[in-house]
Amino acid sequence: KAGVTQTPRYLIKTRGQQVTLSCSPISGHRSVSWYQQTPGQGLQFLFEYFSETQRNKGNFPGRFSGRQFSNSRSEMNVSTLELGDSALYLCASSLGVSYNEQFFGPGTRLTVL
Amino acid sequence: QKEVEQNSGPLSVPEGAIASLNCTYSDRGSQSFFWYRQYSGKSPELIMFIYSNGDKEDGRFTAQLNKASQYVSLLIRDSQPSDSATYLCAVMNTGFQKLVFGTGTRLLVSP
């Protein structure tokens, strides 16, 4: 079974720009969660989508948004990029039922200049 | 107090030894517990999960959970140099697909 895929793997943007990241979950998984990983803050939860609905949201500003499509693929958008948004963005796939483990994709490394 | 706490390490063990990684959590509503391994420059890889008090074994790995003490640990038997990585403890509340991570423990296994 194919794993979680994320595109693009690397991005370089400048402040003020916006960016869209994509995640395709494991086949049959309906939940996609997004995380930000930085050396200073570690792994932090952004939001989770299940059946095209956002079920959970972390403590990030409204510049961070996402959506999920009917095929469970998900996108994350960051508008008005700031230097502090430079991070590894990870998506995780799961069945979406309580207690189900999450499997991470390879991540998208975003650098904001 | 952080929600999930881990000693950042590094924890150094010789090849063949048992590595013991510990994690404490503050939210008593946490119901499921996960250990991820992350190599430098890579994404986290799930190695163990546990939901019930007690021990759960999978190959060289054993996860131990004590909900009363809000403590979860990971034992790695017969440690190998390839086990050298950062080990992340994560917890999840019932009904929420939100993992709360510790900052990770760096494990170094020397040949």
Side-chain angles (χ1 to χ4, degrees):
Chain A
K1 191 182 264 190
V4 181
T5 58
Q6 291 187 246
T7 56
R9 294 293 309 279
Y10 302 92
L11 269 177
I12 299 176
K13 294 285 187 180
T14 57
R15 282 180 298 174
Q17 287 188 307
Q18 76 167 18
V19 66
T20 299
L21 313 181
S22 180
C23 172
S24 292
I26 293 168
S27 178
H29 284 191
R30 297 168 65 189
S31 170
V32 173
S33 300
W34 289 89
Y35 296 84
Q36 180 196 66
Q37 186 173 32
T38 59
Q41 299 297 319
L43 267 159
Q44 292 187 290
F45 174 79
L46 282 155
F47 30 66
E48 184 247 353
Y49 286 86
F50 180 83
S51 293
E52 303 179 66
T53 300
Q54 186 182 89
R55 288 198 301 188
N56 300 290
K57 188 177 188 304
N59 297 323
F60 279 81
R63 300 185 297 106
F64 292 81
S65 63
R67 59 178 176 169
Q68 187 180 35
F69 302 94
S70 58
N71 61 358
S72 294
R73 188 178 70 86
S74 177
E75 288 182 347
M76 189 191 92
N77 184 274
V78 188
S79 62
T80 319
L81 284 166
E82 300 177 359
L83 295 178
D85 296 333
S86 294
L88 180 65
Y89 290 89
L90 294 155
C91 81
S93 159
S94 77
L95 288 171
V97 178
S98 294
Y99 305 119
N100 276 140
E101 55 269 32
Q102 296 186 7
F103 300 92
F104 283 88
T108 295
R109 173 74 63 182
L110 172 64
T111 302
V112 182
L113 302 175
Chain B
Q1 181 188 9
K2 292 183 179 179
E3 291 185 72
V4 180
E5 296 209 47
Q6 295 180 258
N7 188 314
S8 61
L11 172 66
S12 296
V13 300
E15 183 175 357
I18 295 175
S20 178
L21 304 162
N22 304 314
C23 171
T24 58
Y25 60 95
S26 60
D27 188 348
R28 288 194 173 273
S30 301
Q31 293 291 327
S32 46
F33 307 85
F34 305 86
W35 283 99
Y36 286 85
R37 175 174 63 195
Q38 187 172 27
Y39 293 110
S40 180
K42 301 294 186 182
S43 64
E45 172 193 9
L46 180 66
I47 54 173
M48 288 287 290
F49 57 93
I50 187 167
Y51 305 133
S52 304
N53 274 330
D55 295 359
K56 178 182 178 182
E57 187 175 317
D58 184 1
R60 295 187 296 115
F61 299 96
T62 299
Q64 300 174 316
L65 174 61
N66 184 326
K67 290 186 179 179
S69 299
Q70 295 175 248
Y71 176 92
V72 58
S73 65
L74 178 71
L75 300 178
I76 306 175
R77 291 181 298 281
D78 189 23
S79 295
Q80 300 297 309
S82 59
D83 294 325
S84 297
T86 296
Y87 288 79
L88 297 161
C89 172
V91 303
M92 185 188 291
N93 279 357
T94 305
F96 294 93
Q97 288 288 322
K98 169 188 173 181
L99 287 170
V100 179
F101 283 87
T103 53
T105 297
R106 186 175 169 215
L107 174 66
L108 297 176
V109 181
S110 54

